[in-house]
Amino acid sequence: LERMLTNLTASYKLYWLNGIFEEVRAGNSHMSFKSVAARMIASAWYPVVYYRLRLGATDQLAKCIEYLRLHFTVPAECSEAEIIETISSSDDAELNHLVRDLQHYVPYRLIRPFYQNELSRIRMERGALPDRAIDGEIFALNRAMQCGAPYVIDQSRQGLEVQQDWFEYFRSNDQVIRGWLDMKLVDYLQARNPSVPAISQKLHPPKKRNLAAVQRFWKDAIAVTHITDVYTGLPFDSDHFAALGPLSIDHFIPWSFVLHDEPWNLTPMFRDLNSSKNDKLPELNAYLTPFCEQQFNAVMVARQSSKHAKVIESYLEVDPHVFEYECSNASKESFSKAIRNAIVPLYQIASNQGFPVWEASFEYEVVGV
């Protein structure tokens, strides 16, 4: 396994082996190249589309995913099964061309380590060979002898058969191999996204989150002090809830980038506006100052209640003096500086990763005012 995944200049070997492994987990020993390629795309979908990770400057897998996203009605948060079905049933010429491109070299390159001795002998006899010729030699050798390789490529070069010993090995060591493949994917993605946090949690669809404690924190703060919505400047009252939706908790820097629910990155807003913002970045010059002020006001109020102690303690991560502040301009300035120091670098990295800026537009009518 380790030898197959050495010298990774692109993601193809990783995702090709992962696709074969997933086919075996589904009970298939014989599989078409297209079905493995479809699983490659499905496995890379969330890292590329939802979390906006880079696979590499010349990686064609990302190009295939981008085409699928733009030309088919595939939402960002869809299942692997939906993506596989879309690819498998499509007669789109360009998509099928891109999928075939993923299959040209990797079926041979992945198993090349098993035939190194034979290839060395061929080079001694014939001299250096171009890569395309080497792929042909690997195909011929693979058809003639297993040499420990995990699969044999069909005569048509359109599919492969996983060898029985490898099939049983994959099935009986399912969780170990899944963990090993994930570790390899993390290493690969981290090297190409060195400043991005929580890479290990960005391989698969997100898990459900629980913001109940933070929502209680903001509801209590709103009830006892003047806190307005960062994006509109409007107060959180019954008239504005009726016009713009109930209270919702927004990640100032999108959750799909930070992948945490730390309160210093959360802000209350109206649900309808939150749906519009989605995973976009707020305009920093317009909204960071009111965000910092809102955070300070809430912390000053919540510190007086022990039931929000855990939420307040979370602010120590960005400001160790949070328990020392008073309700003064000097304290607010110091606290705001700490929040800015935490937010601004994350904002810049997220922007570099391709997270778009939210073009806020507020159209509403407050009845009864």
Side-chain angles (χ1 to χ4, degrees), residues 312-323:
I312 299 300
E313 284 177 8
S314 299
Y315 284 91
L316 293 171
E317 178 184 342
V318 296
D319 190 342
H321 306 294
V322 71
F323 287 105

Side-chain angles (χ1 to χ4, degrees), residues 125-275:
E125 294 174 354
R126 306 182 202 170
L129 298 174
D131 282 346
R132 185 174 293 275
I134 291 175
D135 291 344
E137 294 296 339
I138 292 171
F139 172 69
L141 290 166
N142 177 244
R143 294 288 300 168
M145 60 186 78
Q146 182 183 350
C147 289
Y151 55 78
V152 173
I153 299 169
D154 288 353
Q155 183 65 46
S156 65
R157 300 198 186 194
Q158 296 298 314
L160 59 87
E161 179 78 28
V162 175
Q163 296 299 291
Q164 185 62 31
D165 53 350
W166 277 92
F167 184 86
E168 293 173 357
Y169 174 72
F170 282 146
R171 300 275 287 184
S172 60
N173 295 278
D174 179 287
Q175 294 303 312
V176 174
I177 296 171
R178 175 73 276 150
W180 176 79
L181 280 169
D182 282 355
M183 180 191 70
K184 289 293 185 181
L185 285 167
V186 167
D187 288 346
Y188 179 87
L189 293 169
Q190 190 70 75
R192 285 148 186 83
N193 303 268
S195 301
V196 176
I199 292 286
S200 64
Q201 299 175 55
K202 295 181 176 179
L203 304 181
H204 307 295
K207 298 177 181 179
K208 290 184 178 181
R209 313 187 305 279
N210 185 357
L211 296 175
V214 177
Q215 192 154 30
R216 288 193 297 270
F217 164 80
W218 282 109
K219 283 184 175 180
D220 287 353
I222 290 168
V224 299
T225 192
H226 182 68
I227 289 181
T228 58
D229 174 56
V230 165
Y231 304 113
T232 63
L234 298 172
F236 293 104
D237 56 32
S238 57
D239 289 328
H240 292 108
F241 285 140
L244 297 172
L247 187 72
S248 180
I249 304 300
D250 171 56
H251 290 73
F252 193 76
I253 306 296
W255 179 87
S256 54
F257 177 75
V258 296
L259 239 62
H260 65 61
D261 298 315
E262 294 300 321
W264 50 265
N265 184 50
L266 297 174
T267 179
M269 68 182 299
F270 300 103
R271 186 179 63 188
D272 294 355
L273 302 183
N274 197 359
S275 298

Side-chain angles (χ1 to χ4, degrees), residues 95-162:
L95 177 62
N96 286 326
H97 172 72
L98 290 169
V99 170
R100 283 194 298 273
D101 280 349
L102 298 177
Q103 309 166 24
H104 280 167
Y105 308 111
V106 67
Y108 314 101
R109 306 290 170 83
L110 185 69
I111 59 174
R112 180 171 177 167
F114 295 94
Y115 300 101
Q116 282 300 106
N117 292 337
E118 288 75 13
L119 291 172
S120 296
R121 176 181 54 78
I122 291 170
R123 279 194 296 270
M124 290 179 63
E125 294 174 354
R126 306 182 202 170
L129 298 174
D131 282 346
R132 185 174 293 275
I134 291 175
D135 291 344
E137 294 296 339
I138 292 171
F139 172 69
L141 290 166
N142 177 244
R143 294 288 300 168
M145 60 186 78
Q146 182 183 350
C147 289
Y151 55 78
V152 173
I153 299 169
D154 288 353
Q155 183 65 46
S156 65
R157 300 198 186 194
Q158 296 298 314
L160 59 87
E161 179 78 28
V162 175

Side-chain angles (χ1 to χ4, degrees), residues 99 127 165 176 188 232 275 289-290 296 324 327 343 346 348 365:
V99 170
D165 53 350
V176 174
Y188 179 87
T232 63
S275 298
T289 294
F296 180 76
E324 303 168 15
C327 291
I343 292 292
L346 292 173
Q348 186 59 58
E365 178 183 0

Side-chain angles (χ1 to χ4, degrees), residues 284-309:
L284 208 59
N285 291 333
Y287 301 120
L288 184 55
T289 294
F291 173 76
C292 292
E293 291 177 355
Q294 184 197 68
Q295 290 274 332
F296 180 76
N297 292 337
V299 167
M300 290 299 99
V301 171
R303 277 194 330 180
Q304 302 171 23
S305 173
S306 60
K307 69 178 181 178
H308 298 304

Side-chain angles (χ1 to χ4, degrees), residues 50-66:
Y50 189 84
Y51 300 117
R52 300 177 185 270
L53 298 179
R54 297 192 180 97
L55 297 182
T58 61
D59 200 299
Q60 296 302 303
L61 181 54
K63 181 180 178 181
C64 192
I65 290 170
E66 184 67 7

